[in-house]
Amino acid sequence: MLMRKLLPVLILLCFFVRGFGQTISPLGPINLCPGGSQVLTVTGTTGAPTFQWKLGGANIPGATLSTYTVTAAGSYTVQVTGSGPGTLFGPVVVNFQPNPVAAFSFSPNNQCGTIPVSFTNTSTGTGLSYSWDFGDPNSGGNNVSTASQPSHRFVGTPGNGTQSFTVTLTVTSTFGCTASATSTVTVSQLPDLTLGGPGLTVYNNRKYFRKCSNATTAQFDFTNQSTTIPTNTFYRIVFGDASPDYTSATFPSPASHNYNVGTYTLLFIVTGQNGCIDTATYYVFVGSNPAVGLGNPGNTAICTASVLTFPISSTATNPPGTIYTVTFNDGTAPVSFPHPAPADISHNFLITSCGTNSTGYPNSFSATIQASNPCNSSTATVVPIYVSERPVADFTISPNDTVCVNSNVNFNNTSGSASEIDNGNCIPGKFIWTVTPATGWTIASGILGNDFGLVDPSTWLSGSTSLNLNFNVTGTYSIKLRIGNLTCGEDIITKTICVNPIPTASFSINQVIGCAPLTVSTTTIANTPLCGTNQYLWNVTYTSTTGCTPTTSNFIYVGGTNAASAQPQFQFINPGVYTLELLVISPAAACTSVVATQVVTVKGKPVVSLNPFPSSICVNGSVTPAAIVTCYTSANTYAWSFPGGTPASSSSANPGAIVYSTAGPYTVTLAVTNECGTTTVTQPLTVQAVTASNAGPNQTLCGSSVTMAGNTAVQGTG
C-alpha cells in the first residue's frame, strides 16, 4: 500500500529527470552593466533540434540558434523542438544595473613626502569594492590599496622641488559594474638618503655596514652619497651607540666613528632646500663569522610523539647580533633566537619519517642549526633521525554499530600504516581482527589475520584493511583491532556491534465497525530489540462507501497520540472503510517489519431522498411516495407522516397511494432511522380544487386531466 502511494511520485521524478536534461546556461537571474552583454546557451539537446528565442513571450526575429547574445533587459525563454520532449525553457531574467559613481577627496596637499596623505572616499553604489592606484611606483607594494579610506606616503623621486602624482580610484559594484575617478596630488620632494660606508650588505632585509674580524673595535668612515647634494642644506648622523651625533651643513668629507663589537642602529637625516626632512635607517655590525655545533641526543631511532633534546655548542665567542635558526625537516616551522644561544633545544617528533630523505639517508629526518650574522653563517646537522610510527588503533563501522540479523557490516582499518624504520627501510606494521563470540557470524569478504600466539608483530599475518562480516545470530559482538610494530609496540581498540532481530508488527483494535464519529484504540504487539528502541510508522488509507456522504477521508489522532506512537488512538469522522497500516522500524533504521493491517468500517446515518411525486394535486387526488435510502440500508426503520392524507402515517419504505380529500397546504415527512441515527426529509404538497379562474397555463379543471410541472425529488438532511 505504501509503495502504491510512492509510485506516482517516482514516475513524476523520472519524467523530471528526463525533461530537465535540457536547460539554459546560465540560468540567471543575470545582472548586466550598461553596454554589457551575456550569451545564453541551450545545453543538453540531442538530435537536430530547432530553437526560437523569445523576449517577454514574443519571438525574437532571427534568434533561431542554440545561443543568443542578450543586450537588453527582460525575460528570455527558448522554444526547443525536435530534441526529447520539446518544451519551453526558462525564463532567464536579465536586469541592467547602473554604474556606480566614483569620487574622493584628500588632504593635505603640497606637503613634504614624509607626511601621509589621507583619502576620503565619497563614492556611491551598491556593495562597492575599491581599487586605488597612487601613481607612485617607487613606493613598491604600497602603491596600491583596496581599503575604503586609505592613506599613502608618497615616495616619488628624490629632489628639492615638487612632484605630482595621478591617483586613480576604481570602484566595482556588487553587480560587477565599475567606475573610476582621478585626482592629482602634489608633494614636495624629499632629499636623497644614500650613505656610503664599509662592507655595505643586505642581511635579513636590512642594510648593514660591517667589519668582520676578531678585533674588539673598528673604525667606520661614512661618506655622503646623496644624489641631491647641491640642494641639501643640513646633515645629521645618529650613530646609535649613545655618542654625540654628527651634524654638518655640507658633509663634504667622511664622517669617522669607532664601534665596539655588536650591532647598532644608525639614522641618516637629511634636510632639503625646500625644508623637507627625511630619515634613512641603516645598521652597523662589528664582529666575526659565527660558529655553532649541534650535539647528537643519543638514540635517534624513536617512535612518533617522542622528544629528543639536542645540545648546542661552540657559540660562546659569537658576537652579539648573531641569530640562531633551528630547522627540523618534519614539516614544522623553523625556530629562531638571538645570541646568546640556549644550551640545548628539544623537539617532539609527531609524524613518521617514512618517505622523507635527508642528505642521502632515506626515510629519515634531520636537525639543522644555522648561526648567522652580517658577516657570514655556519651550520651543524644531526642526521639520520629515524622516527617509526607509534601504533594508534582505530577503525570505522559501516553502515552502523546497530544492525539487524543477517546484515553485512563493514569494518575499515583507519589506524594508518604503523610503519617502523629498520636500518633505513620503511616496513608497514601488522594488524589482526578478533570477533567475540566466535560464532553467530561469517566472513563475507576479507581475512581476520593471525598472531600465531606470538608477541612480535613482525611475525603476524595481517588481516584485511576492509573486513566485511555477516551476522546471522542476534546478540552483542565485540570487534577488536590489534596493530603493532617491533620498534614501538602495539595498540588495541575494541568496539561493540549490536545485532537486533528483525522487528515484527502486529496489532489489534478495540472495534472494527461502528458509527461515525468512531473512536478506535490500538494495542500493538512487537518484539523487543536487544538494544535501542523500535520506531513506529502508521498510515491510514480510505475507501468511500457507496451512497454515504461525505465521500472523503477524515480522521484525527486523539489522546495525545500521533503517527509515530506505539499504540495510537484514532477518531474517524466520515463514513467509509479505513485501512490501518503499521510499519515497525528497528533501531538505527537498520531494517523494517512487514506491514501489518487492520480494517475499520465506519457507518453513517441513512442518506434519504424521496421519489419524485407531484407538488400539487386536486382534492380526492393521491400521491404515491417512496423512500430512496443509501448508506447502510439494512435494519432501517421508516416513519412517514401525511397530515390531511389517508392513511396519515406509515412505517413502510413504500407506503402506497395516499389520498387527500381536503384542500390545503400539507407537508409530507419521512424519518429514516438506523443504528447511527435518524435522517428526516420533507416535501410540501398543495391539495386544491382548481377552477377556471385560477387554473394555470399547465392546468385544467379538476375532474379533467391535470398536468403538474417542476416535480423534483427532495434530498433529506440529518
Side-chain angles (χ1 to χ4, degrees):
M1 185 67 71
L2 294 176
M3 183 55 70
R4 288 204 303 270
K5 283 192 166 186
L6 291 174
L7 188 57
V9 177
L10 296 174
I11 294 172
L12 189 58
L13 286 174
C14 292
F15 174 78
F16 283 169
V17 169
R18 180 181 175 222
F20 283 138
Q22 303 168 7
T23 187
I24 301 177
S25 178
L27 287 173
I30 298 168
N31 293 296
L32 296 181
C33 303
S37 63
Q38 174 69 54
V39 177
L40 303 180
T41 303
V42 178
T43 62
T45 59
T46 58
T50 61
F51 307 92
Q52 177 59 63
W53 292 88
K54 301 173 182 289
L55 173 58
N59 289 348
I60 303 173
T64 57
L65 301 177
S66 61
T67 62
Y68 181 70
T69 302
V70 174
T71 58
S75 179
Y76 291 85
T77 56
V78 60
Q79 182 75 45
V80 181
T81 58
S83 173
T87 189
L88 190 69
F89 293 99
V92 176
V93 178
V94 177
N95 301 304
F96 270 81
Q97 303 295 339
N99 282 327
V101 177
F104 65 92
S105 61
F106 62 90
S107 180
N109 199 21
N110 294 308
Q111 298 293 320
C112 293
T114 52
I115 301 174
V117 177
S118 297
F119 294 87
T120 301
N121 188 346
T122 58
S123 303
T124 58
T126 303
L128 297 181
S129 59
Y130 308 96
S131 176
W132 296 84
D133 185 332
F134 299 110
D136 183 20
N138 286 341
S139 64
N142 294 325
N143 187 44
V144 295
S145 175
T146 58
S148 173
Q149 316 281 351
S151 63
H152 181 72
R153 182 180 181 274
F154 287 88
V155 176
T157 56
N160 276 285
T162 60
Q163 186 173 1
S164 295
F165 301 86
T166 300
V167 179
T168 302
L169 167 63
T170 301
V171 295
T172 304
S173 73
T174 190
F175 306 111
C177 303
T178 62
S180 297
T182 61
S183 192
T184 300
V185 178
T186 301
V187 175
S188 295
Q189 291 177 292
L190 300 175
D192 181 61
L193 300 172
T194 304
L195 181 67
L200 182 64
T201 188
V202 176
Y203 173 71
N204 284 346
N205 296 317
R206 295 176 172 180
K207 292 182 178 180
Y208 276 84
F209 300 112
R210 58 182 176 151
K211 285 203 171 179
C212 301
S213 68
N214 293 322
T216 57
T217 62
Q219 177 177 315
F220 284 74
D221 297 315
F222 301 105
T223 59
N224 182 5
Q225 298 184 12
S226 171
T227 60
T228 55
I229 287 177
T231 54
N232 295 340
T233 61
F234 195 77
Y235 301 89
R236 179 184 173 196
I237 300 176
V238 179
F239 293 110
D241 59 354
S243 61
D245 299 344
Y246 170 87
T247 58
S248 173
T250 57
F251 194 2
S253 58
S256 298
H257 190 76
N258 290 330
Y259 285 97
N260 295 325
V261 172
T263 300
Y264 306 88
T265 301
L266 181 149
L267 302 179
F268 183 37
I269 306 169
V270 181
T271 303
Q273 191 177 49
N274 59 7
C276 292
I277 302 173
D278 201 7
T279 302
T281 301
Y282 293 87
Y283 297 87
V284 176
F285 180 79
V286 178
S288 60
N289 296 344
V292 71
L294 190 65
N296 194 306
N299 178 24
T300 56
I302 59 174
C303 298
T304 52
S306 295
V307 176
L308 293 180
T309 299
F310 300 82
I312 299 174
S313 60
S314 305
T315 63
T317 60
N318 289 342
T322 299
I323 302 296
Y324 302 92
T325 302
V326 180
T327 303
F328 300 93
N329 64 339
D330 60 353
T332 56
V335 178
S336 296
F337 37 84
H339 187 78
D344 54 51
I345 185 169
S346 298
H347 186 70
N348 188 358
F349 292 87
L350 298 177
I351 63 173
T352 177
S353 59
C354 277
T356 300
N357 295 325
S358 300
T359 60
Y361 291 92
N363 300 310
S364 74
F365 291 138
S366 64
T368 301
I369 187 169
Q370 181 186 60
S372 64
N373 60 38
C375 286
N376 212 325
S377 65
S378 59
T379 60
T381 300
V382 174
V383 67
I385 301 170
Y386 295 120
V387 183
S388 298
E389 185 175 348
R390 191 183 303 276
V392 178
D394 199 10
F395 62 91
T396 59
I397 303 173
S398 178
N400 206 302
D401 58 3
T402 300
V403 297
C404 291
V405 68
N406 295 321
S407 295
N408 280 15
V409 181
N410 182 263
F411 304 92
N412 190 60
N413 180 5
T414 58
S415 309
S417 65
S419 298
E420 64 174 331
I421 315 298
D422 182 12
N423 196 29
N425 297 313
C426 186
I427 303 172
K430 301 291 185 67
F431 63 92
I432 56 175
W433 302 91
T434 304
V435 184
T436 305
T439 59
W441 52 272
T442 59
I443 298 176
S445 64
I447 60 172
L448 298 175
N450 196 336
D451 65 359
F452 303 105
L454 301 174
V455 176
D456 181 0
S458 66
T459 63
W460 298 353
L461 170 66
S462 275
S464 300
T465 300
S466 179
L467 178 68
N468 197 285
L469 302 180
N470 179 272
F471 294 91
N472 48 47
V473 177
T474 60
T476 301
Y477 296 83
S478 294
I479 313 300
K480 180 170 69 176
L481 176 63
R482 182 181 176 198
I483 183 170
N485 61 52
L486 184 60
T487 300
C488 302
E490 66 178 66
D491 189 41
I492 297 174
I493 187 172
T494 301
K495 297 184 181 182
T496 301
I497 293 292
C498 177
V499 182
N500 280 319
I502 295 174
T504 58
S506 155
F507 67 98
S508 61
I509 54 180
N510 63 333
Q511 49 186 334
V512 297
I513 188 169
C515 295
L518 176 64
T519 300
V520 173
S521 298
T522 62
T523 301
T524 299
I525 304 169
N527 56 349
T528 302
L530 296 176
C531 56
T533 303
N534 286 334
Q535 295 178 324
Y536 300 89
L537 179 62
W538 292 86
N539 183 61
V540 179
T541 61
Y542 172 79
T543 304
S544 63
T545 301
T546 303
C548 293
T549 59
T551 59
T552 57
S553 173
N554 189 3
F555 74 94
I556 58 174
Y557 291 92
V558 295
T561 63
N562 55 44
S565 298
Q567 303 188 88
Q569 294 179 341
F570 301 87
Q571 186 178 80
F572 300 98
I573 300 167
N574 289 351
V577 177
Y578 293 84
T579 301
L580 280 59
E581 300 175 337
L582 169 62
L583 182 70
V584 181
I585 304 170
S586 74
C591 60
T592 62
S593 69
V594 175
V595 176
T597 63
Q598 291 277 4
V599 176
V600 177
T601 301
V602 181
K603 303 179 70 172
K605 293 189 297 183
V607 176
V608 181
S609 63
L610 302 181
N611 70 318
F613 62 86
S615 62
S616 178
I617 62 174
C618 295
V619 171
N620 296 320
S622 65
V623 293
T624 308
I628 302 174
V629 181
T630 59
C631 190
Y632 302 106
T633 60
S634 62
N636 290 335
T637 62
Y638 302 86
W640 292 89
S641 175
F642 307 109
T646 301
S649 63
S650 175
S651 61
S652 172
N654 300 293
I658 310 298
V659 178
Y660 288 85
S661 58
T662 304
Y666 301 97
T667 299
V668 176
T669 301
L670 170 63
V672 182
T673 302
N674 67 12
E675 69 266 37
C676 296
T678 300
T679 300
T680 301
V681 295
T682 62
Q683 180 170 320
L685 174 65
T686 300
V687 179
Q688 60 182 343
V690 181
T691 66
S693 61
N694 63 12
N698 294 320
Q699 294 177 327
T700 61
L701 295 177
C702 287
S704 303
S705 62
V706 179
T707 302
M708 299 297 178
N711 297 324
T712 58
V714 178
Q715 178 70 41
T717 58

